[in-house]
Amino acid sequence: PVTYQWYRVTQNKSLESIPGQTGDRLMLLHAGWGDAGNYQCVATDAVAGSASSPVIKLEVVEELPVSGLMALGALAAALALAGARVARRRERT
């Protein structure tokens, strides 16, 4: 079987293992500014040995905190209600 390990490439170009990231995909839940940087995966098996992926650059263009998501949800709900009211008024006329 193939095993995977994801690493963060540090400023001095060394690889820093990311705990729990041992799948064929890098999964960063709730990525934020601190997650921006370079990453690399090393795949290993008993027959071929190991192979490294190219360095992958992650850019975070906008960070939205959980409270921001709740505010967006509330805004969406308010807009939906307002739209429903307008539609009802149009039906009555």
Side-chain angles (χ1 to χ4, degrees), residues 27-36 58 60 62-66 69:
M27 302 291 285
L28 298 174
L29 301 177
H30 311 293
W33 301 120
D35 295 311
L58 172 66
V60 178
E62 188 170 331
E63 183 176 43
L64 189 59
V66 173
L69 290 174

Side-chain angles (χ1 to χ4, degrees), residues 26-75:
L26 178 62
M27 302 291 285
L28 298 174
L29 301 177
H30 311 293
W33 301 120
D35 295 311
N38 294 318
Y39 294 86
Q40 188 170 34
C41 181
V42 176
T44 306
D45 74 3
V47 177
S50 64
S52 298
S53 72
V55 173
I56 300 163
K57 183 177 184 177
L58 172 66
E59 292 183 26
V60 178
V61 293
E62 188 170 331
E63 183 176 43
L64 189 59
V66 173
S67 61
L69 290 174
M70 286 193 262
L72 276 176
L75 177 61

Side-chain angles (χ1 to χ4, degrees), residues 69-88:
L69 290 174
M70 286 193 262
L72 276 176
L75 177 61
L79 289 173
L81 287 172
R85 287 181 185 154
V86 169
R88 283 188 206 141

Side-chain angles (χ1 to χ4, degrees), residues 1-24:
V2 177
T3 60
Y4 301 92
Q5 179 60 58
W6 282 90
Y7 297 89
R8 185 166 186 158
V9 182
T10 65
Q11 296 238 339
N12 64 0
K13 307 292 183 204
S14 63
L15 299 179
E16 183 179 278
S17 177
I18 305 172
Q21 295 293 338
T22 56
D24 60 352

